[in-house]
């Protein structure tokens, strides 16, 4: 059974702090996606990473795909309250699998 | 433009009843997905349609769950003899093709009493 693990499960930080969340699997991904979900809404795609070692930046968010394509990280610089939400990673094996998510709360 | 819409937004039913949940995907999207999300968890894959046919229904938990997409657009998720454990948010997503960015609807919150 392919599983995606995410850590930490919960994270509460002050506005302006930096943070990193992780997504890991024992399996190799062909690609991985990060989504953010706000309460009462569906997930919204942030980025897709495809190549091992790839780094993508989206404003204050930096996404990295591990060299072995088994793990990924999301780093947020100078977090803002608007970054609050559930951060989900997802990969496709024989079907689409989502990780359990990291619930981020940024306190003003 | 219009995104993915789901109706109803909330559904409360009694144990043993039948429910239907509707998803209107983005026009022109051939792929449609249903997920179930419990509190504090990531979405759990249920079924994937490519056009009118179910390309992968391996995530449906049992035969009480069934989904259709008769004209390759709107889809309905049907749950028979609902159980309290079916309570969750049911999410629908669509994409242009089978791989690529999925656009999610806001979900239907199902509560089985």
């Amino acid at each position: 059974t392919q599983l995606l693990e995410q850590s930490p499960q919960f994270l509460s930080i002050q506005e302006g702090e930096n943070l990193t969340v992780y997504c890991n699997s024992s399996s190799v991904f062909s690609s991985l996606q990060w989504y953010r979900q706000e309460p009462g809404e569906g997930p919204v795609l942030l980025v897709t990473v495809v190549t091992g070692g790839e780094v993508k930046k989206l404003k204050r968010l930096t996404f990295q795909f591990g060299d072995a394509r088994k793990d990924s990280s999301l780093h947020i610089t100078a977090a803002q309250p608007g970054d609050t939400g559930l951060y989900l990673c997802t990969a496709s094996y024989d079907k689409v699998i989502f990780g359990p998510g990291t619930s981020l709360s940024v306190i003003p | 433009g219009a995104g993915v819409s789901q109706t109803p937004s909330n559904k409360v039913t009694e144990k043993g009843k039948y429910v239907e949940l509707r998803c209107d995907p983005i026009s022109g999207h051939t792929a449609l997905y249903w997920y179930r999300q419990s509190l504090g968890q990531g979405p759990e894959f249920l079924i994937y349609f490519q056009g009118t046919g179910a390309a992968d229904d391996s995530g449906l938990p049992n035969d009480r769950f069934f989904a259709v997409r008769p004209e390759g657009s709107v889809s309905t998720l049907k749950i028979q003899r609902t159980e309290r454990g079916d309570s969750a948010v049911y999410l629908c997503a669509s994409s242009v093709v089978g791989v690529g960015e999925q656009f999610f609807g806001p979900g239907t919150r199902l509560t089985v009493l």
Side-chain angles (χ1 to χ4, degrees):
Chain A
T1 301
Q2 296 101 347
L3 290 174
L4 289 174
E5 298 178 341
Q6 290 190 246
S7 61
Q9 184 178 1
F10 299 99
L11 188 57
S12 181
I13 62 171
Q14 293 292 127
E15 182 177 0
E17 292 183 354
N18 301 333
L19 67 114
T20 303
V21 299
Y22 301 91
C23 176
N24 298 281
S25 175
S26 57
S27 301
V28 175
F29 313 138
S30 58
S31 66
L32 181 144
Q33 297 176 323
W34 284 93
Y35 285 79
R36 182 173 70 204
Q37 184 177 23
E38 298 185 19
E41 299 182 8
V44 175
L45 180 69
L46 297 173
V47 77
T48 299
V49 286
V50 178
T51 306
E54 181 177 6
V55 177
K56 282 191 173 179
K57 293 191 175 183
L58 182 65
K59 298 182 180 179
R60 293 177 294 100
L61 278 59
T62 301
F63 303 84
Q64 186 161 6
F65 201 14
D67 292 341
R69 307 205 323 271
K70 292 185 177 181
D71 57 272
S72 181
S73 63
L74 159 59
H75 181 80
I76 302 179
T77 302
Q80 299 178 359
D83 296 328
T84 293
L86 181 67
Y87 288 81
L88 296 158
C89 64
T90 182
S92 296
Y93 298 101
D94 52 352
K95 59 187 176 186
V96 176
I97 298 175
F98 277 83
T102 292
S103 180
L104 172 65
S105 177
V106 181
I107 303 166
Chain B
V4 178
S5 62
Q6 293 187 244
T7 55
S9 56
N10 283 282
K11 176 70 177 178
V12 179
T13 190
E14 294 180 343
K15 180 175 178 296
K17 300 290 187 182
Y18 168 82
V19 296
E20 289 189 352
L21 312 179
R22 176 186 168 107
C23 172
D24 281 84
I26 293 173
S27 178
H29 282 194
T30 62
L32 185 146
Y33 302 79
W34 282 100
Y35 296 87
R36 177 170 69 176
Q37 187 174 26
S38 299
L39 190 63
Q41 300 293 319
E44 173 193 6
F45 170 81
L46 295 178
I47 186 169
Y48 156 53
F49 287 91
Q50 185 60 249
T52 60
D56 183 353
D57 65 358
S58 61
L60 295 177
N62 52 60
D63 62 5
R64 296 187 296 105
F65 289 73
F66 188 71
V68 295
R69 194 185 185 199
E71 298 180 357
S73 178
V74 171
S75 177
T76 304
L77 178 65
K78 307 180 180 189
I79 310 174
Q80 300 177 322
R81 304 183 303 280
T82 52
E83 300 178 356
R84 293 192 180 89
D86 298 335
S87 296
V89 174
Y90 289 81
L91 293 165
C92 174
S94 69
S95 63
V96 174
V97 293
V99 293
E101 179 178 3
Q102 295 184 40
F103 294 83
F104 282 82
T108 293
R109 180 175 297 279
L110 175 66
T111 303
V112 182
L113 301 177

